[in-house]
Amino acid sequence: MLNLIANYEKTVTVNQLKAAYSIFSQAVERSIEDNGDIATWELSYSDMAPKYIFPYVETVGTVKKYSMGALSPDTSFIHWGGWTNGKIYAMKNGMTYSLIYDHGDITLMVDINGTKGANRVGRDGFAFKLLPKQNKFILAGADKSRSEIIDYYFGGCKKYEQPGAYYSGEFCGALIMIDGWKITPTYPW
């Protein structure tokens, strides 16, 4: 029975991740059409979502800040400082997201089931990247090999045993995608 429930949860996760990927891919595409190439966008540490994302997704407001933990055993560390430093937006479909700009890196963090839980990267939180030089939107890590996706230090899709691996789980969405939109038995669920 527990295995059946776990398989159902994995299927729901994959379907929601695919939906988020589709929603935000289309949003970024339309934003590029209206606002020009990503490299020309006004990038700042202040909130970019109202200008570049709001007009293209069904955002219904903000939610109270909450933690998004990594896959590492150091669960006290809040993954993605911007997740709690920036605004977290709620969507009509129940997802939440935050657009984070940090030192030239643009990350769209999406919680596919909103504030419900588990609130862990690689479980219900997934990172997407906007790449200004390539003018692309991808799942974080999708530009890397499978072995890099899994083993990338502090950011791969595995549970690191050492404390402080606060980016573990960052590339898990890309692993699901390259595995044929499946959560395989080796996935760090």
Side-chain angles (χ1 to χ4, degrees), residues 23-60:
I23 290 165
F24 287 104
S25 291
Q26 291 173 37
V28 170
E29 232 175 78
R30 291 176 54 212
S31 190
I32 289 169
E33 287 174 16
D34 292 347
N35 299 298
D37 291 351
I38 297 168
T40 67
W41 292 5
E42 297 169 32
L43 304 178
S44 70
Y45 293 98
S46 64
D47 196 6
M48 296 170 25
K51 181 172 184 176
Y52 299 110
I53 301 296
F54 278 16
Y56 314 103
V57 298
E58 294 185 276
T59 302
V60 294

Side-chain angles (χ1 to χ4, degrees), residues 85-182:
N85 293 336
K87 290 183 180 174
I88 302 171
Y89 297 99
M91 295 175 61
K92 191 175 184 179
N93 66 7
M95 293 181 188
T96 57
Y97 70 92
S98 185
L99 188 63
I100 304 157
Y101 175 74
D102 187 22
H103 297 92
D105 191 35
I106 308 167
T107 303
L108 180 74
M109 192 70 181
V110 178
D111 188 334
I112 59 173
N113 67 353
T115 59
K116 289 179 188 167
N119 300 327
R120 313 256 327 163
V121 178
R123 191 70 186 256
D124 60 343
F126 294 95
F128 299 84
K129 296 289 183 181
L130 282 79
L131 306 175
K133 290 180 183 173
Q134 295 93 346
N135 206 37
K136 287 174 61 176
F137 175 80
I138 63 169
L139 277 157
D143 55 345
K144 301 188 180 325
S145 70
R146 189 174 197 286
S147 63
E148 287 177 304
I149 288 170
I150 293 168
D151 293 324
Y152 193 80
Y153 187 68
F154 284 158
C157 187
K158 78 180 199 182
K159 292 180 182 178
Y160 290 89
E161 296 307 317
Q162 70 273 22
Y166 47 84
Y167 290 113
S168 66
E170 179 182 10
F171 297 163
C172 285
L175 183 60
I176 291 170
M177 184 182 71
I178 68 164
D179 282 345
W181 292 105
K182 291 182 176 79

